[in-house]
Amino acid sequence: MSKETRMAEEVKLLKTWSSPFGLRIVWALKLKGIEYESIDEDLSNKSPLLLHSNPIYKKIPVLIHNGKPISESVVILEYIDQTWTQNPILPQHPFEKARQRFWAKFNDNKLIPSVWSVFVNEGKEKEEALLENLKLVEEELKGKRFFGGDKIGLVDLVFGWLANLMGVFEEVTGLKLIDDRFPLLSAWILEFSEIPIIKDNWPSHDKLVVKYRALHQKFHPLK
Amino acid sequence: MSKETRMAEEVKLLKTWSSPFGLRIVWALKLKGIEYESIDEDLSNKSPLLLHSNPIYKKIPVLIHNGKPISESVVILEYIDQTWTQNPILPQHPFEKARQRFWAKFNDNKLIPSVWSVFVNEGKEKEEALLENLKLVEEELKGKRFFGGDKIGLVDLVFGWLANLMGVFEEVTGLKLIDDRFPLLSAWILEFSEIPIIKDNWPSHDKLVVKYRALHQKFHPLK
């Protein structure tokens, strides 16, 4: 990259204060040491910049790099890793890379919907389905400190929401899910949460509890 | 890669005769000129190899390369492209790469479910939603011969099912969806279907019609 291009480098991140999908991008940019402008969107009144940058989904997060917008959080993470190669979040070997991509998809397509399903509906069957998913995640941590191995990687950033939102979720619903049935996941949550770039960028726990308590009441008006 | 490793190379693909997700992998392997063993699964009686190779989803396609299984069709496509670099299906530039990944996700998460929804339920509203998605695809083809540009790429392989299954779908439901409202998509279907590695590997049209007609009758028993 020429000096001129580097000088012109402009990075903007459209996110919300609470979204775990936005938070993964914050963590990745911090890990890479990239300066960026953070723009918090009000989803009830989306900015023209968001509507213009992600016309198909009109969703955050969007990363805008030198005027070019990229949507879909895992696509953004891959973009960041290829563009700024310091502190890689994906391994080089194709098989290991495929494994990280597989688990990122598992989180977004299976784990998150199963947590959401318990949050809005509860019920034993849904809880069992969620516990099955957590067991698979526990299994994947066997013999490893982080999902990425010795250091955090893409899957750690993607699973990172577990380390704070699960606590909020447990507080709001009164369900205890990640306990000593999941010793590796519990240990990972503790260790992951202690990493400076992670803990320095959590949204406020108290604000999250207020937000999710209101949401929970909306789905359970009689409670 | 050393000569010894190359000699030991073993590639197996678990698929079904009709799955569009398996077909994308067939096309990618053919495009790369990779010799492989094709194993058609009977999904009502899954093989021990499938259950062992994809214990989480127990789904096809699975690519097994030198004993190591990879699941999730887009993850497999990326693996193939990184492992065998001839005839690349992804561009090098991070922004262009992100764009291809975005559209691959759009196909799997938005377009396919919207087609399926019309297939099983029909109704004006669902049809409108599908047409909106097709309009976005049409838009993406502006100024390009293929989704990949001058040559087919990952998005062409992922959207490839449109080029044969939409015809089957139209024949079975009696709905005409891809017509002169979508001139670029119609032209792409014709051109894509003429590529030798594509047309030489279509599943039988007649068998597909029989399969989808039976499925359609299951969802519309009174028709």
Side-chain angles (χ1 to χ4, degrees):
Chain A
M1 206 180 269
S2 73
K3 201 175 168 201
E4 204 181 355
T5 342
R6 240 186 298 138
M7 280 172 64
E9 193 118 295
E10 187 193 57
V11 182
K12 289 182 187 178
L13 173 62
L14 311 188
K15 63 178 202 63
T16 63
W17 70 270
S18 63
S19 162
F21 299 96
L23 189 55
R24 354 175 134 156
I25 313 302
V26 170
W27 285 333
L29 291 169
K30 297 281 178 185
L31 196 68
K32 300 281 187 177
I34 305 305
E35 296 280 328
Y36 68 97
E37 182 188 348
S38 178
I39 302 169
D40 273 3
E41 285 285 332
D42 168 6
L43 296 185
S44 64
N45 181 24
K46 295 174 184 178
S47 74
L49 185 60
L50 175 57
L51 300 177
H52 175 76
S53 306
N54 187 358
I56 293 185
Y57 296 111
K58 302 170 183 71
K59 276 190 192 167
I60 62 96
V62 180
L63 185 79
I64 309 177
H65 184 201
N66 295 334
K68 290 186 168 183
I70 302 131
S71 305
E72 295 280 0
S73 67
V74 176
V75 174
I76 298 173
L77 289 176
E78 294 239 20
Y79 177 86
I80 289 174
D81 206 36
Q82 199 193 343
T83 303
W84 298 286
T85 51
Q86 62 274 29
N87 298 328
I89 57 170
L90 275 167
Q92 267 310 303
H93 190 279
F95 183 76
E96 292 309 318
K97 207 175 250 185
R99 195 176 182 100
Q100 295 265 315
R101 288 178 177 141
F102 175 88
W103 284 101
K105 267 182 109 84
F106 178 86
N107 179 74
D108 289 3
N109 297 347
K110 295 286 278 187
L111 186 61
I112 290 185
S114 71
V115 171
W116 185 245
S117 173
V118 172
F119 187 81
V120 300
N121 298 308
E122 295 176 14
K124 268 289 156 234
E125 203 178 304
K126 291 186 169 26
E127 210 176 309
E128 286 303 323
L130 167 55
L131 290 172
E132 279 308 310
N133 286 340
L134 289 173
K135 265 185 222 164
L136 296 170
V137 177
E138 175 80 6
E139 194 70 24
E140 176 60 11
L141 272 172
K142 267 193 186 152
K144 290 196 289 194
R145 188 172 165 204
F146 295 110
F147 292 99
D150 293 334
K151 287 186 302 180
I152 59 170
L154 183 123
V155 176
D156 294 277
L157 301 183
V158 165
F159 276 98
W161 68 276
L162 280 171
N164 77 328
L165 271 188
M166 276 306 273
V168 171
F169 173 93
E170 290 176 347
E171 200 170 324
V172 169
T173 62
L175 294 166
K176 183 71 189 156
L177 291 159
I178 301 190
D179 53 20
D180 50 16
R181 289 170 293 186
F182 305 105
L184 300 176
L185 194 50
S186 303
W188 173 82
I189 285 179
L190 288 178
E191 195 153 22
F192 180 77
S193 307
E194 278 310 308
I195 297 171
I197 61 131
I198 302 298
K199 75 172 170 192
D200 292 349
N201 293 289
W202 289 127
S204 146
H205 177 84
D206 293 350
K207 266 180 82 183
L208 284 173
V209 170
V210 170
K211 175 192 160 94
Y212 281 96
R213 205 181 290 286
L215 213 49
H216 194 248
Q217 270 161 3
K218 203 175 117 187
F219 288 108
H220 304 86
L222 299 178
K223 276 206 176 173
Chain B
M1 206 180 266
S2 73
K3 199 174 168 201
E4 203 180 356
T5 341
R6 242 186 298 140
M7 280 173 65
E9 194 118 294
E10 187 192 57
V11 182
K12 289 182 187 177
L13 173 61
L14 311 187
K15 62 178 201 62
T16 63
W17 71 270
S18 62
S19 162
F21 299 96
L23 189 55
R24 355 175 133 156
I25 313 303
V26 170
W27 286 332
L29 291 169
K30 297 280 178 185
L31 196 67
K32 300 282 186 177
I34 305 306
E35 295 280 326
Y36 67 97
E37 182 187 349
S38 179
I39 302 171
D40 272 3
E41 286 285 332
D42 168 5
L43 295 184
S44 64
N45 181 22
K46 294 175 184 178
S47 74
L49 185 60
L50 175 58
L51 300 176
H52 175 77
S53 306
N54 187 359
I56 294 185
Y57 296 110
K58 303 171 182 72
K59 276 188 192 170
I60 60 96
V62 180
L63 185 80
I64 310 176
H65 184 202
N66 295 333
K68 291 187 167 181
I70 302 132
S71 305
E72 295 280 2
S73 66
V74 176
V75 175
I76 298 173
L77 289 176
E78 295 240 17
Y79 177 85
I80 288 173
D81 206 37
Q82 200 192 343
T83 302
W84 298 287
T85 50
Q86 63 274 31
N87 298 330
I89 57 171
L90 275 167
Q92 267 312 301
H93 190 279
F95 183 75
E96 292 309 317
K97 207 175 249 184
R99 194 176 183 100
Q100 295 265 317
R101 289 177 176 140
F102 175 89
W103 283 102
K105 267 182 110 82
F106 178 85
N107 179 73
D108 289 1
N109 297 347
K110 294 286 277 186
L111 186 61
I112 289 185
S114 71
V115 171
W116 185 246
S117 174
V118 172
F119 187 81
V120 300
N121 298 307
E122 297 176 12
K124 269 288 155 233
E125 205 178 304
K126 292 187 169 25
E127 210 179 307
E128 285 302 322
L130 167 55
L131 290 173
E132 279 307 310
N133 286 340
L134 289 174
K135 267 187 221 164
L136 296 169
V137 177
E138 174 81 7
E139 195 70 24
E140 176 60 11
L141 272 172
K142 268 192 186 154
K144 291 196 289 193
R145 187 172 165 202
F146 295 110
F147 292 99
D150 293 335
K151 287 186 303 180
I152 59 170
L154 183 122
V155 176
D156 294 278
L157 301 183
V158 165
F159 276 98
W161 67 276
L162 280 172
N164 76 328
L165 271 189
M166 276 304 273
V168 171
F169 174 92
E170 291 176 347
E171 199 169 324
V172 169
T173 62
L175 292 168
K176 184 70 189 158
L177 291 160
I178 302 190
D179 52 20
D180 50 17
R181 289 171 293 187
F182 304 106
L184 300 176
L185 194 50
S186 303
W188 172 83
I189 286 179
L190 289 178
E191 195 154 22
F192 180 77
S193 306
E194 279 311 307
I195 296 171
I197 61 133
I198 302 299
K199 74 172 172 192
D200 293 348
N201 293 289
W202 289 126
S204 144
H205 178 83
D206 293 348
K207 267 180 81 183
L208 284 173
V209 169
V210 170
K211 175 190 159 93
Y212 281 96
R213 205 183 290 285
L215 212 49
H216 194 249
Q217 270 162 4
K218 203 174 118 189
F219 288 108
H220 304 86
L222 299 179
K223 276 202 175 180

